[in-house]
Amino acid sequence: MALKKIDDLSDFQVDTLRELGNIGSGNAATSLSGLVGSEVMINIPKVRILDFEEAVNFLGGPERVIAGLLIRMDGDIKGMILYAFGEDFSQEIVGQFFGKEIGSLLELDEMDQSALSEIGNIMAGSYVGALSAMTGLTIHITPPCLCIDMAGAVLSVPAIEFAKAGDKVLMIDDSFGLGGVTVKSNMILIPELESLEILFNRLGVV
Amino acid sequence: MAEIITVGISDLNIARSPDILATYALGSCVGIALKDVKTGIGGLAHIMLPWSKEANTATAINPKRYADTGIRSLLALMKQNGASTAITAKIAGGAQMFQTTFHSFNIGQRNVDAVKTVLGELRIPIQAEDTGANYGRTVFFHVDTGVLEVKTASKTAKVL
């Protein structure tokens, strides 16, 4: 049956996405570890299918300031990725990367912002790389575009894009442990429905 | 005591003095505040997309999601509750959150354009607007005074 909406995914299909999320997160933790030069522990990621308002509340509510990196996927799989994180992630990761104290998200200078974009690029690349390696599908990603603002406003961009396919987004919720601190980030995937079908067909999941 | 009535995304509501209608974190979406100067009824809609005819028909259409159907639904609700035809509008939102050309269409600007077209068709004058640019906005519509208060994460609040 052709997929019409993201809510039509079967439990088995959701489990498959969850497993892909696990592998992607493992890759991302390895990349992160290389970036900050210390050990990174990863907890088992949670894959959630949420509607827009639930996703915004999950990120701390509509007015909570977050950083979002928007990346477009092209090739066999088309769609968008929004890599979202809060102040804790930016302070720990960019702080360790540059070896300096990082202020609030709204006070980041150009260097910090460009480091965040690069980190997002590497993280998204790790997920997409895992997906590509497991399926043999070709997926290109564009350089990320950073936006630091209220969560509701940042998420409105993929939500609008997604309004065509329903109200739900796929959210992979990661928490990484580094140097005794736990930081969280969220990979929000918005594949085109045709691309999800290609993905499931390739994996033999119907 | 004034009560704050929250309007979610792709939603709308009406209120009377002294209540306040609020919608949080408008990004590319547009908030449309309507006020009937005669009866004091106020309404607020939070639309996501410009035109309902562009919707994918595979999913049921939520009329509150689009500028054309959303504004008309809000106006109908106000009229059902006794509003006159002496209605004015203030609008906010329609930002381009990500400075990139890759999402092919600047949906924020298209939303603002659609809202203005629809208000024009309905002969509702726009008294004030704070639209475009690249930041999110939270709005509070004070139904008693007709003031639209616009707050952002990093800038001073504006009063329209």
Side-chain angles (χ1 to χ4, degrees), chain A residues 81-101:
Chain A
I81 298 173
L82 183 77
Y83 188 52
F85 47 85
E87 207 142 277
D88 57 338
F89 184 90
S90 102
Q91 283 176 345
E92 285 302 321
I93 306 292
V94 183
Q96 290 211 20
F97 185 66
F98 283 134
K100 65 168 188 178
E101 292 269 316

Side-chain angles (χ1 to χ4, degrees), chain A residues 52 62-63 145 149-150 156 167, chain B residues 9 25 28 65 98 135-136 138:
Chain A
F52 173 78
E63 291 194 291
C145 189
D149 210 306
M150 297 187 267
S156 74
D167 288 321
Chain B
I9 187 164
S28 303
R65 177 175 286 163
F98 291 89
Y135 49 84
T138 283

Side-chain angles (χ1 to χ4, degrees), chain B residues 59-142:
Chain B
T59 49
I61 288 177
N62 172 3
K64 299 171 189 169
R65 177 175 286 163
Y66 304 91
D68 55 350
T69 45
I71 293 172
R72 286 190 170 86
S73 303
L74 180 61
L75 194 61
L77 184 64
M78 288 171 71
K79 289 196 169 153
Q80 276 165 28
N81 285 275
S84 75
T85 50
I87 289 174
T88 57
K90 291 183 182 179
I91 63 174
Q96 185 170 11
M97 299 305 297
F98 291 89
Q99 299 312 299
T100 166
T101 49
F102 73 61
H103 47 121
S104 59
F105 56 138
N106 180 355
I107 194 70
Q109 189 57 50
R110 287 191 58 217
N111 278 335
V112 173
D113 292 345
V115 164
K116 288 182 176 174
T117 305
V118 174
L119 289 172
E121 284 168 9
L122 296 166
R123 298 177 189 279
I124 298 174
I126 299 171
Q127 287 190 320
E129 67 173 292
D130 179 31
T131 57
N134 62 348
Y135 49 84
R137 297 165 172 93
T138 283
V139 302
F140 295 96
F141 182 39
H142 299 259

